[in-house]
């Protein structure tokens, strides 16, 4: 026998599998895993993509078997060996898989997109998702997803560029987007628009009848006709924010006359016509939220008795915060709130002329948030005050947030005020969850008492409190941090106490 034939016979005797058998065993292992995850007859099938494996109901297309690599044709054998090997049956060819994204129902895809839009806004996600495939384009084009829009003027902050030309170019694109995407728009914010505010708001009034909130930040050129046109075309518009924008007072007054009693929220910053705007509001009580930032009200003294206006019977939030010293007094506050029993939030930060006695006379009985902090003022300018127990005696049963930062109440006064939270009649625990005592004369015993009385306290600010020991003058967030502060205060107190 020839030496080559002897070596081939030895290989056959050892049982070394050929390459085709090894490939077949690998394919059988893969089929075992596929059958383990989605067995035949279970009503599920698998879809494989680049980074995930989906198990979907209903039987899917038959998986294509992996093709073995092509080999050079072997020479045909003659005789009985050739007849013993049957030819394999040809496998049917399948078309390319369209992908798992096309198999998700359109309603489910719209709901998934809605969750992302609710957290991050419609842009730029919907614009990018529309480029994936036709199904995603169809889902991203649903007007129900385009309910919030923020438009920053192009070339904003670049004085060297032609901003008016860039705004006009963007307006051309919005002429198609408004009827096709923003027909169900509800909240619109414009930032740094200077020349094309009127044409843009005209588009909104023509194609967005469901608008409820309009915010104009650092915008110019808002005329009375623009706001009146918007108020007539959008019957659900109830909130207007024009802080830091150049808006004529006549435009605001005309808008309030047209909007009527449906107005709920109004945000304004101080201007020379603020008194006229507030006067118009007093004659037409309609708002539930009124924010007048940096207000400088200088009423002229008059010898005649001032007749009270109808006030704001439906007012729930009032903000008169100011970053500088203003002249809002107890008299002005009483004129605004003399008929507001449903007030829930009162923000008087920076209003140094407001006293606890003036707040005690307000008609609201269930105030939940009271902000009296004095920020940006030197300790030399803070006067010593008394009367803080009047605040907690009236609202300790309903207060959830209390801010006394920078107030000059003495130690005994603060102790009596915060002790009211431990003696609430008819209630096991007070609802207080946020307390800001930054820069006050609060003592360790007073802080430990209020922490023990308010187990729901989640925020406590003790920065710059001169009567507290070192290491504890900071802000605490969370119940664990506040309990740690209580333990440290109890160990620092003298044994006699």
């Amino acid at each position: 026998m020839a030496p080559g034939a002897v070596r081939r016979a030895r290989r056959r005797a050892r049982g070394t599998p050929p390459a085709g058998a090894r490939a077949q065993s690998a394919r059988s292992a893969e089929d075992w895993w596929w059958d383990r995850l989605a067995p035949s007859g279970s009503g599920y099938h698998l879809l494989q993509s680049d980074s995930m494996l989906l198990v979907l109901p209903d039987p899917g297309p038959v998986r294509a078997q992996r093709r073995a690599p092509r080999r050079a044709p072997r020479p045909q054998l003659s005789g009985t060996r050739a007849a013993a090997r049957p030819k394999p049956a040809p496998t049917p060819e399948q078309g390319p898989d369209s992908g798992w994204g096309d198999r998700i129902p359109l309603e489910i895809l719209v709901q998934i997109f809605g969750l992302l839009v609710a957290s991050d806004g419609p842009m730029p996600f919907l614009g990018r998702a529309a480029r994936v495939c036709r199904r995603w384009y169809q889902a991203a084009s649903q007007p129900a997803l385009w309910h919030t829009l923020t438009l920053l003027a192009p070339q904003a902050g670049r004085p060297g560029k032609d901003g008016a030309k860039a705004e006009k170019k963007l307006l051309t694109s919005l002429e198609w987007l408004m009827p096709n995407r923003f027909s169900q728009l509800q909240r619109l914010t414009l930032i740094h628009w200077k020349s094309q505010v009127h044409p843009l708001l005209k588009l909104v009034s023509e194609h967005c009848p469901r608008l409820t909130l309009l915010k104009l930040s650092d915008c110019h050129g808002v005329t009375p006709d623009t706001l009146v046109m918007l108020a007539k075309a959008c019957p659900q518009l109830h909130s207007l924010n024009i802080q830091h924008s150049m808006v004529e007072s006549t435009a605001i007054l005309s808008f309030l006359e047209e909007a009527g009693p449906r107005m709920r929220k109004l945000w304004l910053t101080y201007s020379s016509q603020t008194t006229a705007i507030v006067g118009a509001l007093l004659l037409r009580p309609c708002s539930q939220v009124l924010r007048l930032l940096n207000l400088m009200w200088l009423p002229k003294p008059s010898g005649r008795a001032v007749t009270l206006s109808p006030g704001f019977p439906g007012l729930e939030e009032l903000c008169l915060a100011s970053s500088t010293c203003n002249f809002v007094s107890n008299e002005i506050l009483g004129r605004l709130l003399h008929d507001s029993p449903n007030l829930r939030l009162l923000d008087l930060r920076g209003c140094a002329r407001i006293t606890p006695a003036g707040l005690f006379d307000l008609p609201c009985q269930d105030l939940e948030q009271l902000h009296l902090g004095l920020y940006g003022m030197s300790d030399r300018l803070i006067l010593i005050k008394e009367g803080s127990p009047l605040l907690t005696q009236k609202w300790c049963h309903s207060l959830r947030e209390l801010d006394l930062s920078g107030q000059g109440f003495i130690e005994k006064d603060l102790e009596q005020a915060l002790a009211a939270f431990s003696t609430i009649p008819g209630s096991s625990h007070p609802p207080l969850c946020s307390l800001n005592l930054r820069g006050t004369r609060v003592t360790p015993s007073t802080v430990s008492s209020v922490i023990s009385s308010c187990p729901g306290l989640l925020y406590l600010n003790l920065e710059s409190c001169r009567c507290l020991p070192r290491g504890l003058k900071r802000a605490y967030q969370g119940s664990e941090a506040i309990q740690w502060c209580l333990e440290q205060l109890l160990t620092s107190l003298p044994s006699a106490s």
Side-chain angles (χ1 to χ4, degrees), residues 475-497:
Y476 300 89
Q477 294 186 359
S479 57
E480 295 182 359
I482 294 177
Q483 290 300 320
W484 179 87
C485 176
L486 176 61
E487 295 175 359
Q488 299 299 319
L489 288 172
L490 293 178
T491 55
S492 64
L493 290 175
S495 58
S497 61

Side-chain angles (χ1 to χ4, degrees), residues 261-295:
R262 72 171 185 262
M263 284 302 298
R264 300 178 183 176
K265 300 181 181 181
L266 180 64
W267 291 268
L268 300 173
T269 46
Y270 173 73
S271 66
S272 58
Q273 300 295 329
T274 302
T275 303
I277 297 172
V278 175
L281 290 173
L282 291 174
L283 294 177
R284 295 177 177 270
C286 52
S287 298
Q288 292 183 1
V289 177
L290 180 60
R291 296 183 181 272
L292 305 174
L293 301 183
N294 291 332
L295 182 67

Side-chain angles (χ1 to χ4, degrees), residues 276-478:
I277 297 172
V278 175
L281 290 173
L282 291 174
L283 294 177
R284 295 177 177 270
C286 52
S287 298
Q288 292 183 1
V289 177
L290 180 60
R291 296 183 181 272
L292 305 174
L293 301 183
N294 291 332
L295 182 67
M296 297 181 64
W297 197 339
L298 300 175
K300 296 182 180 180
S302 175
R304 297 177 297 177
V306 180
T307 57
L308 293 178
S309 59
F312 300 91
L315 189 64
E316 297 180 0
E317 299 182 14
L318 176 64
C319 176
L320 300 178
S322 175
S323 58
T324 58
C325 183
N326 58 28
F327 296 91
V328 178
S329 60
N330 293 334
E331 180 185 0
I332 296 174
L333 190 64
R335 290 174 57 187
L336 288 173
L337 300 177
H338 72 91
D339 193 18
S340 302
N342 300 323
L343 193 67
R344 296 290 183 269
L345 184 149
L346 183 58
D347 190 349
L348 300 174
R349 284 174 288 188
C351 301
R353 294 173 176 263
I354 300 295
T355 63
L359 295 173
F360 186 80
D361 294 335
L362 296 179
C364 49
Q365 300 296 330
D366 297 321
L367 194 64
E368 297 179 1
Q369 301 180 36
L370 177 60
H371 302 277
L372 298 176
L374 300 178
Y375 298 92
M377 298 184 65
S378 174
D379 294 342
R380 298 178 181 178
L381 299 178
I382 298 177
L383 301 178
I384 297 178
K385 294 182 179 179
E386 295 181 358
S388 59
L390 296 175
L391 305 177
T392 54
Q393 289 175 6
K394 184 174 183 178
W395 294 309
C396 62
H397 67 282
S398 61
L399 272 179
R400 299 179 62 252
E401 297 183 13
L402 178 60
D403 182 7
L404 300 177
S405 175
Q407 292 287 348
F409 298 114
I410 60 177
E411 294 86 343
K412 193 65 175 179
D413 201 75
L414 284 174
E415 181 181 357
Q416 296 176 0
L418 297 179
F421 291 104
S422 60
T423 58
I424 299 180
S427 176
S428 57
H429 300 295
L432 187 67
C433 59
S434 176
L435 180 60
N436 191 346
L437 300 174
R438 180 181 181 273
T440 60
R441 296 181 174 89
V442 64
T443 59
S445 58
T446 303
V447 176
S448 59
S449 175
V450 71
I451 294 177
S452 303
S453 304
C454 303
L457 196 62
L458 299 176
Y459 176 79
L460 178 63
N461 193 340
L462 301 177
E463 296 177 352
S464 303
C465 293
R466 64 189 68 179
C467 298
L468 296 182
R470 294 182 179 180
L472 300 179
K473 302 177 184 180
R474 59 186 179 91
Y476 300 89
Q477 294 186 359

